[in-house]
Amino acid sequence: MLLRAPGGRSGETFASPDPKLNLYPRFTAHVADALAALVTQGDLPTGLDTRAVAVEPPRDASHGDLATNAAMVLAKAAGMRPRDIAVMLALKLNHLDEVAEAEVAGPGFLNLRLHGDVWRAEIAAIAAAGGDYGRSVLGAGKSINVEYVSANPTGPMHMGHCRGAVVGDALASTLEYAGFAVTREYYINDAGGQVDTLARSAHLRYREALGETIEIPEGFYPGDYLVPVGQALAAEFGDVMLGKPEAEWLAIFRTRTVALMMERIRADLKLLGIEQDVFFSEASLGSRVQEALDTLAAKGLIYEGVLEAPKGEAAEDWEPRPQTLFRASQFGDDSDRALKKSDGSWTYFAGDVAYHWDKLTRGYSALVDMFGADHGGYVKRMTAAVRALSGDTVPLDIKIVQMVKLLRAGEPVKMSKRSGNFVTLADVVEEVGKDVVRFIMLTKRADSQLDFDFAKVVEQSRDNPVFYVQYAHARIASLKRKAAEAGIVLPAPDYALLDDVDLALVKTAALWPRIVEQAAEAREPHRIAFYLGDLAGAFHTQWNLGNDDARRRFVLADDPALTAARLALADAVGQVLRNGLAVMGVEAAEELH
RNA sequence: GCGCCCGUAGCUCAGUUGGAUAGAGCGCGGGACUUCUAAUCCUGAGGUCGCAGGUUCGAAUCCUGCCGGGCGCACCA
């Protein structure tokens, strides 16, 4: 093992499994190699299950740069004491050029302290990879379908839809960045009673557009947004649909109105930077429904029967009815579920089963659905259906997105769906901007409730994570300008000039590839927002050191060499911030106003 | 009544899929700075991770049962 002074230079190149690997996978490979060597030497038994071996940053930075639990995980199967294994492992890893010190600690952790040059090399790696730094091959190109938004086409997007839209889209981007082939999909509920009501409401507006005075009865969609739809219909059909019976215009108006509403919804989504690949129409399912039922029937999962009355209070008007049922209870659901109503027509669930059957036939290796919290009760039956249809080969992961509470300076914003007065997505984006909306929607776990306060989200303060992260990026962007203003001619950066304090910042930046994989595996894009907050915090801390000690500033007029190195460091942080923001679908600000 | 989600510092929330002394921001206590690298900074206090058992080297994390909050509970979409 070579010892070097902190901050010292090393002319050596590192021996490693693959220098192109990111830090954590590289050391995971180092540990695996070391374990394999111990097995070869006969110090460890063969056939150990090493899947639980992890290489992670220790929670406490004083424990070093990396830690592995290998000894503790393997102790039982090896029939050895954890610390004994750890010591052997330490001897192996100490031989690596990248390792300054390997130390056994606690119950059997092996802590590794790395040479500063490892972190210096990471700055170069970030610069070289640029926008691809953190991109992962975790997904191995496997295809995955993410369905999100899927708002009913009966009105414009409002804030209730917004969170699912942002989280779904960011999740799709995260998965893409982690190496999956992602299809972004929207399911249009354009069949059933709601769209008939929509068509009738549009017909009223059509009559209105032709000069009639109308009154909107209870149960119709009252919103103003149908006024332009009525005008468009009037322009298209003139007065030919005026006196005719409903049967002659309903289907036509339904199709036209849904198309117009979907145009609007897509425009609203575009305001958020969301453009989905597939818009799948429920009305287009056609023979798929019967096909899905036949598929289930072939597995003996369909029967005619009568469901038990639900327990509890909601059973007033219940009466036993024979229906076509799916044996969902065989797949973890609480009850079997109806596919056909007692009158023989399909249930909504049947359509959804058919839709998921269609997705399965398209060959995805995994499906993800984003559901609103009010559809939580639907999760079990849907996963049951996909398990049954796919024979447990294609997992369906349903993510629940909780409601957003809209506030204005602490006061709840009143919304009434009945009157048609609700805060639309377009209104909010116009008021605070796409980036703020997207970022804030990702500042909490999807399954916990979120407050969205119009006043707070645009506040320029430490409390506001959007501002805090953007400000860090803007500060970094300002460094080049400052250096130019100071008339500094920058040489090529020499990372050897950076000391341990500088390198602390790289350590945080180097976590990014891990965060991507963790967020993708957990399917929790909010982790990216939290990480960017941490990284921004680390940068601000560094920046603030310059207040007390001018030598710690990034731009030093009398030291072009150190300035060049510090700017390269700042650039690395800026690059990671940009990469993270890009995954979130948020622009990285060059300057703030 | 049943199912799902949640319960972590005074408040708002994280918590690396079972790891070391449980973290951050706000708020609170103490201090710094009279400046433009202050659209503040440093520092301190603050916790029975809802409660009680269990699983194991090790639990906020997994299992069971309670307590408390949210959502949903044939044929609607």
Side-chain angles (χ1 to χ4, degrees):
Chain A
M1 168 175 125
L2 291 167
L3 286 174
R4 301 185 189 97
R9 298 183 68 171
S10 161
E12 292 175 80
T13 51
F14 299 119
S16 71
D18 178 355
K20 281 183 197 148
L21 278 178
N22 285 319
L23 192 70
Y24 290 94
R26 195 164 78 230
F27 271 86
T28 304
H30 278 319
V31 171
D33 288 351
L35 290 171
L38 290 173
V39 171
T40 307
Q41 290 170 216
D43 290 331
L44 282 176
T46 55
L48 287 176
D49 181 359
T50 58
R51 280 176 303 181
V53 173
V55 177
E56 302 173 329
R59 185 166 290 173
D60 187 337
S62 69
H63 291 144
D65 296 318
L66 296 174
T68 179
N69 60 355
M72 289 180 291
V73 169
L74 301 176
K76 197 172 192 179
M80 300 169 69
R81 286 187 298 192
R83 291 187 67 103
D84 292 344
I85 300 178
V87 167
M88 294 191 299
L89 202 53
L91 288 172
K92 290 282 176 210
L93 293 174
N94 253 332
H95 287 295
L96 294 171
D97 280 345
E98 293 182 272
V99 174
E101 189 189 359
E103 184 192 19
V104 179
F109 283 101
L110 182 58
N111 294 330
L112 303 177
R113 202 171 299 278
L114 305 184
H115 279 299
D117 285 352
V118 173
W119 302 111
R120 295 188 179 91
E122 201 66 14
I123 302 174
I126 293 170
D132 288 332
Y133 181 73
R135 205 176 270 283
S136 165
V137 294
L138 178 77
K142 279 186 284 191
S143 64
I144 183 165
N145 181 290
V146 184
E147 183 211 329
Y148 56 106
V149 191
S150 299
N152 288 338
T154 52
M157 297 275 298
H158 55 80
M159 280 307 277
H161 304 118
C162 180
R163 192 173 181 190
V166 170
V167 174
D169 199 54
L171 173 59
S173 298
T174 303
L175 291 169
E176 242 164 24
Y177 206 69
F180 291 89
V182 178
T183 300
R184 295 158 200 255
E185 189 147 330
Y186 184 120
Y187 183 52
I188 309 169
N189 295 132
D190 54 359
Q194 281 191 14
V195 280
D196 285 342
T197 304
L198 178 72
R200 292 189 188 102
S201 306
H203 189 260
L204 281 177
R205 295 296 190 179
Y206 160 75
R207 285 163 51 196
E208 183 182 49
L210 293 173
E212 285 187 40
T213 304
I214 60 155
E215 214 167 288
I216 301 170
E218 189 71 30
F220 281 57
Y221 292 102
D224 292 344
Y225 58 84
L226 286 176
V227 171
V229 171
Q231 287 163 352
L233 291 168
E236 183 171 351
F237 296 104
D239 59 5
V240 296
M241 296 295 188
L242 261 189
K244 297 201 174 172
E246 181 177 289
E248 290 189 36
W249 54 258
L250 186 67
I252 298 169
F253 269 43
R254 192 170 56 209
T255 306
R256 292 299 303 136
T257 305
V258 167
L260 289 165
M261 289 317 304
M262 283 310 297
E263 249 174 56
R264 169 121 188 225
I265 286 171
R266 289 167 83 142
D268 285 350
L269 285 169
K270 202 163 180 181
L271 293 176
L272 273 180
I274 296 173
E275 294 186 64
Q276 282 148 297
D277 307 308
V278 176
F279 287 80
F280 193 99
S281 151
E282 181 187 1
S284 76
L285 279 167
S287 61
R288 278 289 191 210
V289 188
Q290 187 62 47
E291 204 180 306
L293 186 131
D294 291 345
T295 305
L296 292 172
K299 301 181 185 213
L301 297 172
I302 300 292
Y303 67 103
E304 299 295 321
V306 179
L307 289 175
E308 281 177 33
K311 308 251 194 289
E313 51 227 302
E316 298 156 12
D317 57 348
W318 186 88
E319 52 183 271
R321 284 172 190 161
Q323 295 169 305
T324 301
L325 300 171
F326 159 56
R327 295 189 191 278
S329 56
Q330 284 190 14
F331 298 88
D333 200 355
D334 315 303
S335 159
D336 292 340
R337 300 294 174 182
L339 293 172
K340 275 185 182 174
K341 304 176 198 171
S342 47
D343 68 2
S345 63
W346 298 110
T347 61
Y348 175 79
F349 178 56
D352 229 352
V353 170
Y355 170 49
H356 283 78
W357 169 243
D358 186 272
K359 287 197 228 179
L360 288 172
T361 62
R362 284 186 259 153
Y364 299 108
S365 61
L367 306 178
V368 177
D369 288 357
M370 305 290 310
F371 278 14
D374 52 342
H375 287 68
Y378 207 73
V379 170
K380 279 190 178 182
R381 76 188 68 175
M382 206 61 248
T383 42
V386 170
R387 283 186 58 198
L389 286 167
S390 75
D392 265 330
T393 57
V394 179
L396 167 64
D397 188 3
I398 300 180
K399 307 303 277 188
I400 296 293
V401 178
Q402 271 291 349
M403 291 293 141
V404 177
K405 205 191 296 175
L406 280 182
L407 304 167
R408 202 173 278 281
E411 292 298 311
V413 176
K414 286 183 196 134
M415 278 196 281
S416 163
K417 214 171 178 180
R418 247 163 300 155
S419 67
N421 289 327
F422 38 73
V423 179
T424 67
L425 175 71
D427 292 341
V428 177
V429 172
E430 190 186 346
E431 181 168 341
V432 305
K434 173 198 82 158
D435 291 334
V436 166
V437 173
R438 288 194 67 123
F439 200 106
I440 293 291
M441 291 295 160
L442 293 166
T443 51
K444 267 197 175 186
R445 294 172 48 139
D447 56 15
S448 65
Q449 236 189 309
L450 175 80
D451 289 348
F452 186 98
D453 191 315
F454 285 95
K456 284 189 180 161
V457 298
V458 294
E459 202 172 272
Q460 300 205 334
S461 77
R462 176 72 187 86
D463 316 6
N464 183 351
V466 190
F467 166 75
Y468 195 63
V469 171
Q470 293 283 29
Y471 186 35
H473 189 264
R475 269 183 163 171
I476 291 166
S478 78
L479 287 172
K480 278 179 209 136
R481 297 195 296 267
K482 282 173 183 289
E485 281 165 22
I488 302 172
V489 180
L490 295 171
D494 178 1
Y495 302 130
L497 298 172
L498 299 174
D499 64 16
D500 286 349
V501 176
D502 295 309
L503 295 180
L505 200 44
V506 190
K507 293 180 185 180
T508 305
L511 291 173
W512 168 238
R514 260 173 70 78
I515 300 294
V516 171
E517 295 192 348
Q518 285 170 357
E521 278 185 321
R523 295 187 178 144
E524 291 181 348
H526 76 276
R527 290 174 187 238
I528 291 171
F530 276 93
Y531 166 72
L532 293 183
D534 287 346
L535 180 58
F539 177 76
H540 287 307
T541 297
Q542 202 85 318
W543 177 284
N544 288 328
L545 291 178
N547 290 330
D548 293 332
D549 177 359
R551 288 303 298 169
R552 291 243 65 106
R553 296 187 177 195
F554 284 85
V555 174
L556 298 159
D558 60 350
D559 195 340
L562 186 51
T563 299
R566 291 250 169 90
L567 288 194
L569 170 66
D571 272 345
V573 174
Q575 184 67 60
V576 172
L577 287 174
R578 281 194 296 282
N579 294 359
L581 288 170
V583 172
M584 293 173 68
V586 175
E587 311 276 334
E590 292 293 310
E591 51 190 331
L592 300 174
H593 305 285

